[in-house]
Amino acid sequence: MSAEAQVGLGGSKLGRMRRSFRGWRGRRPFWGGLLTLLGGIPIMYFPYANLTLGTLTIRMATTAGAGSLIIGVLLVVLGLTMWFQPQSRVFAGVAAILLALVSLVVSNFGGFVMGFLLALIGGALGISWVHEKPQRPVRRRAKAPDARAFDGGAPQAAAGAAHEAAPGAGGMTDDLSGTSPSNGTNGRHRAD
């Protein structure tokens, strides 16, 4: 949204509600939950629907009507789970994909493929969603004091000779861990 558009939303109640909804929507797999929820509706609707073509009434009732109803209700519940329990989004996404695949066989080709595709894409979006944490400013740790500062500026002969005797190919050391006496870490790792 541009800065000009936000100026008009500043103090109104509608603007505050819209920004609040945008924040709520950004902290959960909203679109994955919505598509999963919408995918359950045709799966549970079509087995109980009566289609009328002119004077001809076509009843879509099948022996798997109860199975279609259960799959549709579970997809709606999984969509709501993605919204209100975002920590279980991977489980809900995998379950939605599996139920969408089962609906192909059980309920009229997954609600005439509409419900199948919506639930399949919604489950995939639920699995792939990652909550973006706000980035904190990077704090740099103060460097360890140089060894030369303590002995009057004269380099230590033993440490310098050991460091110069161990270079690998091209003058680089073979230590890839990033911890060495030359950079002041001495085998300690930082946990940030």
Side-chain angles (χ1 to χ4, degrees):
M1 179 180 271
S2 68
E4 293 84 18
Q6 287 183 353
V7 169
L9 299 177
S12 71
K13 186 174 183 179
L14 177 65
R16 286 191 305 269
M17 288 175 47
R18 188 172 173 195
R19 281 192 309 270
S20 174
F21 177 68
R22 180 179 290 156
W24 179 83
R25 189 181 67 195
R27 291 187 301 269
R28 59 202 75 245
F30 178 77
W31 295 109
L34 182 67
L35 291 179
T36 302
L37 188 140
L38 291 177
I41 293 172
I43 289 174
M44 69 178 152
Y45 173 74
F46 285 129
Y48 296 103
N50 290 328
L51 300 176
T52 305
L53 299 172
T55 58
L56 180 65
T57 301
I58 301 171
R59 183 156 175 88
M60 301 296 295
T62 63
T63 57
S68 299
L69 183 65
I70 290 171
I71 290 172
V73 167
L74 284 175
L75 284 172
V76 168
V77 168
L78 289 171
L80 292 172
T81 300
M82 286 185 208
W83 281 356
F84 297 110
Q85 293 292 325
Q87 3 0 338
S88 62
R89 66 180 168 73
V90 174
F91 166 75
V94 169
I97 289 172
L98 291 176
L99 285 172
L101 291 172
V102 168
S103 75
L104 279 175
V105 178
V106 173
S107 70
N108 300 326
F109 295 109
F112 296 119
V113 185
M114 283 189 304
F116 163 72
L117 287 176
L118 287 171
L120 192 70
I121 293 169
L125 287 173
I127 291 171
S128 65
W129 181 82
V130 177
H131 179 49
E132 184 177 320
K133 296 179 182 176
Q135 294 182 356
R136 289 182 273 155
V138 178
R139 295 186 332 195
R140 304 250 179 199
R141 200 164 94 175
K143 292 186 176 184
D146 195 347
R148 286 179 255 180
F150 293 107
D151 60 354
Q156 295 178 348
H163 184 62
E164 291 174 6
M172 299 295 293
T173 61
D174 291 333
D175 182 22
L176 299 178
S177 68
T179 59
S180 68
S182 65
N183 64 6
T185 56
N186 292 329
R188 297 183 307 265
H189 293 279
R190 292 190 345 201
D192 36 10

